[in-house]
Amino acid sequence: MIARKLNAAAGPTVLFVPLRGLSLLSTEGEALYDPVTEETLFSTLRRLIDGTRVEMHELDAAINDPAFARAMADRLHELV
């Protein structure tokens, strides 16, 4: 469903993937840490995302990492 919606977007579309956790609770050492499940999601997105329509960035960071936020903000500024 995520890939289908991203692939159908009309304008510039960018997906950032935080490889070290999709939430504070899913980072290493936390209650919902499950790297196998997250990698299943990520590999499915890699397979289903249309790279000619969607720009996908995978960062070696957790979603709450300042470097992750900075990368997304920098790309947004470039698009604007």
Side-chain angles (χ1 to χ4, degrees):
M1 181 173 64
I2 295 168
R4 181 172 29 88
K5 288 183 177 190
L6 289 169
N7 290 337
T13 307
V14 182
L15 172 64
F16 279 81
V17 179
L19 297 174
R20 292 197 177 258
L22 292 168
S23 75
L24 181 62
L25 292 176
S26 70
T27 58
E28 189 170 1
E30 295 298 328
L32 300 178
Y33 180 65
D34 186 353
V36 173
T37 299
E38 288 191 0
E39 180 52 36
T40 299
L41 170 63
F42 302 154
S43 64
T44 301
L45 288 171
R46 284 182 205 109
R47 185 171 41 84
L48 297 178
I49 292 286
D50 179 352
T52 65
R53 300 184 53 84
V54 179
E55 181 182 320
M56 185 170 167
H57 297 271
E58 299 182 48
L59 279 74
D60 188 28
I63 199 163
N64 293 318
D65 188 323
F68 187 76
R70 194 169 21 262
M72 289 191 304
D74 289 346
R75 185 63 186 113
L76 176 61
H77 286 138
E78 292 170 1
L79 289 170
V80 174

